[in-house]
DNA sequence: TCCATAATTCATGAAATATTGAAGTATAAA
DNA sequence: TTTATACTTCAATATTTCATGAATTATGGA
């Protein structure tokens, strides 16, 4: 991750439609969503949505795969991880407690002891 | 954290000088840095730097305190945490392994078992 | 092949953002 | 009080970014 790509990523997230789209895809998970469904969900026009999704792809925040006539967009967790790593590089400087609140932020989502034991896959 | 504030934060990080400044303050830690020192470190003019730091303050990514004639800027880890929480809301949807890589990103910085036991405070 | 569906690409005017120099405010020292 | 230092605010221009409508590409079915 270089600074140019990080700037591209943050610029991608600094526009309402794109931020909404990315958060929608975060919630959608690994299944992803078709471009058309994203446009409907966000109440935006297909061409506008398409151009904004292209921004997110270039920023490596999402990726696309074709499925018949549809194009499925999915959040790129690896890309997001690289971005956060770039942003937080050397954040602690010998004092890990300085960013403990960041860990707490992710804790409700991914508690350390349950990374490989999903809460509920029976329902 | 509402969407407007999140957009302000990402817009703040989408400009070269501001991204550099924020990362510099992340590395500087709780001590922070004076506005003039930041400008020198980044090779930017004082007024340009000042205006860009103001963006980061409004975005709640940094905060300022006065010390004599200097104004000290410091990274706002709580604000950053709120931003990431907003971005990653419901990111797992019952499948925490989906964002395990995000945890790994922060792990080198803040290993789960050493949040309150800094690596080295003797030097 | 012909048509419909799904999505993208292109060009343009409108809106937002960035940088600059000049002027202004606040603190400290002579 | 006068001067210097540290930083910010203001106003203007230049640049970048955005949404829109029209045209284009790709796939699937009749």
């Amino acid at each position: 991750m270089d600074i140019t790509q990080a700037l591209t990523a943050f610029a991608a997230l600094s526009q309402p439609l794109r931020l909404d789209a990315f958060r929608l895809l975060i919630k959608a998970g690994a299944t992803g969503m078709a471009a058309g469904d994203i446009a409907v969900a966000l109440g935006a026009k297909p061409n506008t949505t398409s151009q904004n999704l292209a921004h997110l792809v270039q920023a490596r925040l999402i990726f696309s795969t074709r499925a018949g006539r549809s194009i499925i967009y999915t959040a790129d967790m690896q890309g997001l991880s690289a971005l956060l790593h770039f942003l937080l590089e050397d954040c602690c400087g010998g004092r890990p407690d300085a960013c403990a609140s960041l860990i707490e932020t992710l804790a409700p989502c991914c508690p350390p002891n349950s990374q490989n034991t999903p809460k509920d896959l029976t329902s």
Side-chain angles (χ1 to χ4, degrees), chain A:
Chain A
M1 171 74 62
D2 62 351
I3 191 155
T4 304
Q5 189 168 7
L7 287 168
T8 302
F10 288 123
L13 293 173
S14 72
Q15 201 276 341
L17 185 61
R18 291 197 296 264
L19 181 54
D20 280 346
F22 181 70
R23 298 211 313 143
L24 184 64
L25 291 175
I26 284 283
K27 291 187 178 74
T31 309
M33 280 181 77
D37 293 341
I38 296 170
V40 170
L42 302 181
K45 306 194 173 184
N47 60 347
T48 301
T49 304
S50 177
Q51 285 187 126
N52 282 305
L53 289 172
H55 273 249
L56 289 166
V57 168
Q58 195 182 15
R60 225 198 127 191
L61 288 167
I62 65 175
F63 58 85
S64 67
T65 49
R66 181 175 278 275
R69 269 180 290 207
S70 294
I71 292 183
I72 308 296
Y73 286 93
T74 312
D76 185 339
M77 301 309 276
Q78 255 94 50
L80 178 61
S81 182
L83 179 66
L84 296 184
H85 190 260
F86 176 83
L87 188 66
L88 296 171
E89 195 179 6
D90 301 333
C91 68
C92 296
R95 269 166 275 126
D97 56 311
C99 48
S101 63
L102 291 177
I103 289 289
E104 285 168 25
T105 291
L106 293 174
C109 156
C110 315
N113 294 329
S114 66
Q115 281 183 34
N116 297 312
T117 53
K119 296 170 193 168
D120 185 19
L121 288 180
T122 58
S123 60

